[in-house]
Amino acid sequence: MDADDGAARGPGAPGALDERDRAVLELEGRSWRTAGAKERAVREELGLSSTRYYQLLNALLDRPEALAHAPVLVNRLRRVRDARRAAR
């Protein structure tokens, strides 16, 4: 673990990613083989509705702590989000 990541500052530090934030990023980084598997995992593992999950994920994409924690994933998701916004 890097001395500069959120976990090094402690779980209660301002700006640090908490356990749920890290779990959301970890779940989003997985591959899904079947339709509905991701939504089922969101409910079972995180105890969240799909809507709340995506609200949290979208907010995480704007946080520098999330970018530091999972830069490849966050940058990929930001590009997807930006492309969808531009298509509207």
Side-chain angles (χ1 to χ4, degrees):
M1 207 176 285
D2 215 277
D4 197 33
D5 70 15
R9 291 189 302 261
L17 293 179
D18 62 20
E19 187 176 329
R20 181 180 68 182
D21 294 338
R22 289 188 301 273
V24 166
L25 290 172
E26 187 275 325
L27 194 137
E28 188 61 29
R30 293 187 208 165
S31 327
W32 304 100
R33 291 183 175 202
T34 62
K38 181 178 180 180
E39 287 73 18
R40 188 170 36 257
V42 166
R43 279 191 316 274
E44 292 173 0
E45 295 177 27
L46 302 176
L48 298 170
S49 69
S50 291
T51 301
R52 184 64 181 139
Y53 170 79
Y54 286 109
Q55 288 172 341
L56 291 170
L57 177 62
N58 193 48
L60 272 172
L61 296 182
D62 295 325
R63 293 183 54 196
E65 300 85 9
L67 181 61
H69 180 76
V72 173
L73 174 66
V74 170
N75 280 324
R76 179 176 58 83
L77 294 173
R78 284 178 176 178
R79 283 192 305 272
V80 169
R81 180 180 69 179
D82 292 345
R84 285 185 180 150
R85 285 180 179 168
R88 290 183 192 167

